[in-house]
Short mmCIF file of all heavy atoms in Angstrom, two decimals:
data_model
loop_
_atom_site.label_atom_id
_atom_site.label_comp_id
_atom_site.label_asym_id
_atom_site.label_seq_id
_atom_site.Cartn_x
_atom_site.Cartn_y
_atom_site.Cartn_z
N LYS A 37 -8.14 0.65 35.87
CA LYS A 37 -7.25 -0.08 36.71
C LYS A 37 -5.91 -0.45 36.04
O LYS A 37 -4.88 -0.57 36.72
CB LYS A 37 -7.91 -1.35 37.30
CG LYS A 37 -8.28 -2.42 36.23
CD LYS A 37 -8.99 -3.61 36.82
CE LYS A 37 -9.35 -4.62 35.74
NZ LYS A 37 -10.04 -5.79 36.33
N HIS A 38 -5.99 -0.60 34.76
CA HIS A 38 -4.70 -0.92 34.01
C HIS A 38 -3.85 0.35 33.90
O HIS A 38 -2.63 0.28 33.97
CB HIS A 38 -5.03 -1.54 32.61
CG HIS A 38 -5.89 -2.70 32.68
ND1 HIS A 38 -5.50 -3.81 33.43
CD2 HIS A 38 -7.07 -3.04 32.05
CE1 HIS A 38 -6.46 -4.77 33.25
NE2 HIS A 38 -7.42 -4.28 32.41
N LEU A 39 -4.53 1.56 33.75
CA LEU A 39 -3.74 2.76 33.72
C LEU A 39 -3.09 2.99 35.16
O LEU A 39 -1.99 3.49 35.20
CB LEU A 39 -4.65 3.92 33.39
CG LEU A 39 -5.18 4.00 31.98
CD1 LEU A 39 -6.09 5.26 31.83
CD2 LEU A 39 -4.08 4.10 30.96
N ILE A 40 -3.82 2.62 36.16
CA ILE A 40 -3.25 2.75 37.54
C ILE A 40 -2.02 1.84 37.66
O ILE A 40 -0.99 2.25 38.24
CB ILE A 40 -4.33 2.37 38.59
CG1 ILE A 40 -5.38 3.46 38.61
CG2 ILE A 40 -3.63 2.24 39.94
CD1 ILE A 40 -6.60 3.20 39.54
N ALA A 41 -2.14 0.59 37.12
CA ALA A 41 -0.99 -0.34 37.14
C ALA A 41 0.17 0.24 36.43
O ALA A 41 1.36 0.08 36.82
CB ALA A 41 -1.40 -1.66 36.60
N PHE A 42 -0.13 0.85 35.24
CA PHE A 42 0.93 1.50 34.41
C PHE A 42 1.60 2.60 35.21
O PHE A 42 2.87 2.78 35.19
CB PHE A 42 0.27 2.03 33.15
CG PHE A 42 1.19 2.41 32.01
CD1 PHE A 42 2.24 1.55 31.61
CD2 PHE A 42 1.09 3.65 31.44
CE1 PHE A 42 3.15 1.87 30.62
CE2 PHE A 42 2.03 4.01 30.47
CZ PHE A 42 3.01 3.15 29.98
N LEU A 43 0.89 3.36 35.89
CA LEU A 43 1.42 4.46 36.76
C LEU A 43 2.32 3.92 37.86
O LEU A 43 3.47 4.38 38.07
CB LEU A 43 0.22 5.27 37.27
CG LEU A 43 0.64 6.29 38.42
CD1 LEU A 43 1.54 7.40 37.83
CD2 LEU A 43 -0.67 6.88 39.02
N VAL A 44 1.76 2.84 38.59
CA VAL A 44 2.51 2.26 39.61
C VAL A 44 3.80 1.71 39.12
O VAL A 44 4.86 1.86 39.82
CB VAL A 44 1.64 1.20 40.34
CG1 VAL A 44 2.48 0.38 41.28
CG2 VAL A 44 0.45 1.80 41.05
N ALA A 45 3.82 1.01 38.04
CA ALA A 45 4.98 0.40 37.49
C ALA A 45 6.02 1.45 37.16
O ALA A 45 7.24 1.25 37.51
CB ALA A 45 4.72 -0.44 36.26
N ASN A 46 5.62 2.51 36.55
CA ASN A 46 6.55 3.56 36.23
C ASN A 46 7.11 4.27 37.42
O ASN A 46 8.42 4.61 37.46
CB ASN A 46 5.94 4.59 35.23
CG ASN A 46 6.01 4.12 33.80
OD1 ASN A 46 6.95 4.44 33.04
ND2 ASN A 46 5.03 3.41 33.34
N VAL A 47 6.37 4.54 38.40
CA VAL A 47 6.79 5.13 39.59
C VAL A 47 7.79 4.18 40.36
O VAL A 47 8.83 4.62 40.82
CB VAL A 47 5.64 5.54 40.55
CG1 VAL A 47 6.16 5.96 41.95
CG2 VAL A 47 4.79 6.61 39.92
N ALA A 48 7.45 2.91 40.30
CA ALA A 48 8.29 1.92 41.06
C ALA A 48 9.67 1.79 40.35
O ALA A 48 10.72 1.75 41.01
CB ALA A 48 7.60 0.55 41.04
N VAL A 49 9.63 1.81 39.03
CA VAL A 49 10.90 1.73 38.31
C VAL A 49 11.81 2.94 38.57
O VAL A 49 13.02 2.80 38.76
CB VAL A 49 10.67 1.49 36.78
CG1 VAL A 49 12.00 1.65 35.98
CG2 VAL A 49 10.10 0.11 36.54
N TYR A 50 11.16 4.10 38.47
CA TYR A 50 11.93 5.32 38.79
C TYR A 50 12.48 5.24 40.20
O TYR A 50 13.74 5.60 40.41
CB TYR A 50 11.05 6.60 38.68
CG TYR A 50 11.63 7.75 39.44
CD1 TYR A 50 12.78 8.34 38.93
CD2 TYR A 50 11.11 8.11 40.61
CE1 TYR A 50 13.45 9.34 39.60
CE2 TYR A 50 11.82 9.19 41.32
CZ TYR A 50 12.89 9.82 40.79
OH TYR A 50 13.50 10.75 41.53
N ALA A 51 11.71 4.91 41.17
CA ALA A 51 12.15 4.87 42.56
C ALA A 51 13.33 3.87 42.66
O ALA A 51 14.28 4.17 43.46
CB ALA A 51 11.01 4.49 43.50
N ALA A 52 13.21 2.74 42.01
CA ALA A 52 14.32 1.81 42.12
C ALA A 52 15.60 2.30 41.42
O ALA A 52 16.69 2.04 41.90
CB ALA A 52 13.86 0.42 41.47
#
Side-chain angles (χ1 to χ4, degrees):
K37 62 182 179 181
H38 302 308
L39 290 180
I40 292 174
F42 192 53
L43 169 65
V44 168
N46 274 270
V47 171
V49 170
Y50 160 72

